[in-house]
Amino acid sequence: TQISLSFSQQNSKSPQGLVGLRNLGNTCFMNSILQCLSNTPDLRDYCLMNVHRTDINNNCRSQSALMEEFAKLTQTLWTSVSSEPISPSDFKFQIQRYAPKFVGYNQQDAQEFLRFLLDGLHNEVNRVTVQPRVPPEDIDHLPDSEKGKRMWKKYLERENSKVVDLFVGQLKSSLTCNDCGYCSTVFDPFWDLSLPIANKGSEEVNLTDCMRLFTKEDVLDGDEKPTCHRCKARRKCTKKFTIQKFPQVLVLHLKRFSENRFQSSKLSTYCNLSAPQPMYNLYAVSNHSGNTLGGHYTAYCRNPSLGEWYSYNDSRVSPMSSSQVRSSDAYVLFYELLISNSKHKVNKSSNGAVIGREITFLCFYNFSIFYFFIYKPTW
Ligand SMILES: [Zn+2]
């Protein structure tokens, strides 16, 4: 049907997916993310098979230029017969029309760019064109699992696209009043998770610690005290995040840059990114080298057709061994879900965290498979 590209059957010498992107002037942040997305199998196939056109046409969109350019670029990366680097200038023109922040040639943050891009693509292929007017529903009395399901259903009634199918998960945040024990839960969609770097002062840190730090209970006191619904007053509360629904593509962003606006700093870490089991498989990494004043982005991606890793440094693409993926520069990590049906149940363990309905349990302990180490605590 349609183009019906049989990329996997192609000769492994063909340059498919192994084409570089020209740097238009500090656009390495963009190139790095584009290569990570180009190596996201389901998103790539969505573009290659022109399914995005169906989504655009079905909704009689007036705006579809960003998706069109993104799809065109992905198609060129995967069908180009030469290994000459491609200029992403038409795509850049569209992303800056969508997000004027990207006008010009300043160095930008790759994670922020990814957010804008996915949001822009989603808006153009959203299967929902008319947002339903739904009266607010009182779901406070429902058990959390049911609440989570309802909130997810409500979200899909508004935001529903291939991009959402792939990248969006659901985060549960609960707030427990230390006085009366009242617990309120909120469910929010997420496009990526920003993980704090645990044990900043130490030499070695692994992702388990970062994941634990992200999901660890946090006491809100003093000026941060929230209002308890039952006490009707500001109370000391305990806040906790849990992942309610895991996305098909999990994007983890390592908070390497400090949020202090007066003095910026960056943490550099080594990442050992061997295949994490049992849930997710790493397939792409956006790397940042350098510091906050100046740096360079590259990408390491596993070619979905060849199953081998390649380094993408703007116009240069070179093979690399999977052991080299471990890097002090890993900044945004892309993982694909290996299991997504209820047949697979991960056993409960003391390290387990209750998650969504599809996968009953995830042992966070398993994240220890991806270690990373801090070699310079601060700049
Ligand atoms: Zn209370």
Side-chain angles (χ1 to χ4, degrees):
T1 63
Q2 290 157 0
I3 300 184
S4 194
L5 293 153
S6 49
F7 10 89
S8 53
Q9 291 157 21
Q10 295 279 333
N11 184 330
S12 63
K13 283 179 195 137
S14 72
Q16 288 182 326
L18 304 180
V19 181
L21 292 167
R22 278 189 212 290
N23 191 322
L24 307 171
N26 279 327
T27 53
C28 53
F29 70 91
M30 180 176 92
N31 292 349
S32 161
I33 291 297
L34 285 173
Q35 294 289 9
C36 291
L37 292 178
S38 159
N39 284 286
T40 300
D42 281 6
L43 187 62
R44 173 197 66 169
D45 296 349
Y46 180 71
C47 297
L48 291 178
M49 306 295 193
N50 277 319
V51 184
H52 68 284
R53 289 263 169 80
T54 316
D55 286 338
I56 290 166
N57 293 340
N58 282 351
N59 295 328
C60 310
R61 301 253 164 211
S62 55
Q63 291 287 328
S64 62
L66 181 64
M67 185 71 228
E68 288 287 5
E69 269 320 319
F70 176 79
K72 206 169 100 188
L73 191 67
T74 307
Q75 289 173 359
T76 315
L77 287 171
W78 286 88
T79 58
S80 172
V81 284
S82 94
S83 49
E84 272 294 294
I86 294 161
S87 166
S89 58
D90 290 349
F91 169 81
K92 183 176 186 294
F93 179 73
Q94 291 306 332
I95 189 71
Q96 65 194 31
R97 267 188 49 175
Y98 177 75
K101 186 181 192 327
F102 299 105
V103 170
Y105 299 93
N106 293 326
Q107 165 126 229
Q108 305 274 356
D109 183 85
Q111 185 247 353
E112 197 180 8
F113 170 75
L114 174 68
R115 284 273 190 101
F116 273 101
L117 174 55
L118 291 181
D119 185 62
L121 296 176
H122 159 69
N123 283 327
E124 293 186 0
V125 293
N126 193 352
R127 296 163 189 133
V128 180
T129 39
V130 182
Q131 303 274 324
R133 285 169 168 248
V134 192
E137 192 185 359
D138 182 20
I139 55 167
D140 276 354
H141 59 285
L142 295 173
D144 279 353
S145 62
E146 189 58 32
K147 241 195 244 183
K149 276 187 210 171
R150 294 270 186 105
M151 291 305 288
W152 183 248
K153 192 169 158 272
K154 269 180 116 166
Y155 178 70
L156 292 182
E157 283 169 5
R158 298 177 156 270
E159 316 295 341
N160 190 339
S161 69
K162 184 67 188 177
V163 189
V164 169
D165 295 347
L166 293 178
F167 292 94
V168 181
Q170 192 185 38
L171 196 64
K172 168 181 158 183
S173 23
S174 51
L175 207 55
T176 310
C177 172
N178 286 20
D179 275 33
C180 74
Y182 178 78
C183 177
S184 64
T185 48
V186 180
F187 294 87
D188 292 304
F190 69 87
W191 292 74
D192 57 22
L193 297 178
S194 291
L195 300 187
I197 298 200
N199 309 326
K200 283 186 180 122
S202 74
E203 285 289 309
E204 281 188 21
V205 175
N206 64 46
L207 201 48
T208 316
D209 297 328
C210 299
M211 210 66 197
R212 282 216 189 97
L213 188 59
F214 178 77
T215 54
K216 143 183 164 321
E217 290 191 341
D218 202 11
V219 176
L220 302 178
D221 200 2
D223 289 347
E224 294 184 309
K225 266 190 229 170
T227 303
C228 167
H229 289 288
R230 191 186 282 164
C231 298
K232 309 260 184 261
R234 290 183 68 190
R235 292 280 191 256
K236 184 173 162 183
C237 286
T238 307
K239 188 178 181 173
K240 185 166 172 45
F241 287 126
T242 323
I243 296 164
Q244 185 73 11
K245 183 187 184 302
F246 275 84
Q248 199 179 324
V249 174
L250 176 65
V251 179
L252 297 181
H253 158 237
L254 300 178
K255 282 186 176 173
R256 291 182 183 278
F257 297 101
S258 87
E259 286 164 9
N260 182 336
R261 54 184 291 223
F262 299 109
Q263 194 183 6
S264 51
S265 63
K266 188 195 164 189
L267 293 167
S268 295
T269 60
Y270 277 118
C271 291
N272 179 353
L273 304 163
S274 53
Q277 297 291 333
M279 302 236 328
Y280 281 99
N281 205 9
L282 179 84
Y283 70 91
V285 184
S286 171
N287 302 300
H288 181 271
S289 59
N291 57 36
T292 54
L293 299 173
H296 182 57
Y297 283 100
T298 59
Y300 295 155
C301 305
R302 196 190 59 216
N303 184 294
S305 306
L306 307 171
E308 279 153 20
W309 286 84
Y310 290 85
S311 158
Y312 295 84
N313 185 352
D314 289 328
S315 50
R316 291 195 304 281
V317 182
S318 41
M320 62 185 290
S321 102
S322 58
S323 62
Q324 292 173 300
V325 175
R326 170 200 158 117
S327 144
S328 61
D329 299 332
Y331 180 51
V332 184
L333 315 172
F334 292 74
Y335 294 91
E336 60 186 350
L337 189 62
L338 294 174
I339 44 160
S340 60
N341 59 60
S342 52
K343 284 176 204 150
H344 190 112
K345 303 238 189 243
V346 182
N347 288 333
K348 182 176 177 171
S349 79
S350 57
N351 298 311
V354 184
I355 57 157
R357 57 204 155 95
E358 287 170 356
I359 302 140
T360 49
F361 257 87
L362 165 74
C363 182
F364 269 164
Y365 203 68
N366 288 308
F367 275 99
S368 62
I369 299 159
F370 4 17
Y371 297 98
F372 56 105
F373 310 96
I374 289 179
Y375 75 85
K376 265 183 199 161
T378 49
W379 283 85

